[in-house]
Amino acid sequence: MSIGDARIRIPDRISRGDLITVNAIISHPMDTGFFRTPEGQPIPAFFVKDVVVTYGDEEVARFVWTSGVSKDPIVSFTLKADREAPLTLTWTDNRGSVYRRAADVAFASA
Amino acid sequence: MASESSSRRSFLRRCAVAGAGLFGSGTLLHGERLLALQRPSLGPGDPEVPNEAVAKILKDLFGDRPIRKGHLSLDMPLVAEDGRIVPVIIESDLPMTPANYVKAVHLIVDHNPDPHLAAYYLTPALGSVALQTRIKMKRTTWCRAICETSTGDVWGAYAHVNVSLNGCG
């Protein structure tokens, strides 16, 4: 996986009003800036500093991270599925790169 | 006669009360001693007495509001073999209604280079507080999860994690 590859997992079947668990992972080195390469060169800090969760047009959560979060950071949270709308996660790292993924919250027709 | 007997009675009563008080304080002291025996970590390393950096973070975030224990659970392993990947689960039974919800959860690891490791800002649309992630830890220390509700209450949960391998370089 290259830097910025991300996945969002939500349940396959969702009914209106369900409390669903959202799992998300992004491939990122999360370098702290304290390590060195085998040649002795310092590895500069490079980490995801901010994750924004939007559901439809509404911002429902924002996570502020430091380099203390593990490499290839995962995050899991719940969401009250009360309408059909895309769920978007936007990761921003400390070099200004923005990574965005979306998952469609759609209700099962049953 | 009547007044004399009543004064005598009240004197006896006072004696009884004083005796009960002495006895009560004795048992309390004994209880505290037992508690101290059960918790050998009481001291600078106890989560109630944070180090300077953590004290400053707590002060900046919550001011002088008391951080009460409860309504929040911080689930972390007792022993983390690899400090680079330490799983964290934060859950709460607090309501998530527009009138009263958890607006922020802060994760603080006492002896990390940056103790204020992560902040999760939430809204009622999430329905509940159930966060999971993985963090890095430098060494054996206390971790704190502290949440703030929209009404201004502050709740905390603590976990002591033994770290075998430094994950922060």
Side-chain angles (χ1 to χ4, degrees), chain A residues 92-103:
Chain A
T92 308
D93 68 27
N94 66 332
R95 292 185 192 163
S97 304
V98 176
Y99 316 101
R100 186 172 285 123
R101 285 291 181 284

Side-chain angles (χ1 to χ4, degrees), chain A:
Chain A
M1 290 222 296
S2 60
I3 292 171
D5 282 353
R7 278 201 308 272
I8 300 175
R9 205 177 71 220
I10 58 173
D12 292 335
R13 293 180 68 83
I14 303 168
S15 305
R16 186 180 295 275
D18 277 0
L19 201 63
I20 61 169
T21 301
V22 181
N23 288 288
I25 183 168
I26 182 165
S27 174
H28 204 282
M30 298 300 277
D31 289 321
T32 56
F34 304 129
F35 286 98
R36 285 173 182 273
T37 61
E39 292 76 43
Q41 293 300 308
I43 304 171
F46 183 36
F47 57 93
V48 174
K49 59 171 186 169
D50 187 72
V51 187
V52 176
V53 183
T54 53
Y55 182 33
D57 302 326
E58 187 192 357
E59 182 183 317
V60 293
R62 174 184 289 269
F63 310 142
V64 179
W65 284 348
T66 64
S67 59
V69 177
S70 298
K71 175 178 154 61
D72 298 340
I74 60 166
V75 63
S76 156
F77 54 92
T78 59
L79 182 75
K80 187 103 175 142
D82 52 8
R83 60 185 185 276
E84 289 192 309
L87 178 76
T88 311
L89 266 78
T90 308
W91 291 265
T92 308
D93 68 27
N94 66 332
R95 292 185 192 163
S97 304
V98 176
Y99 316 101
R100 186 172 285 123
R101 285 291 181 284
D104 272 319
V105 176
F107 299 134
S109 52

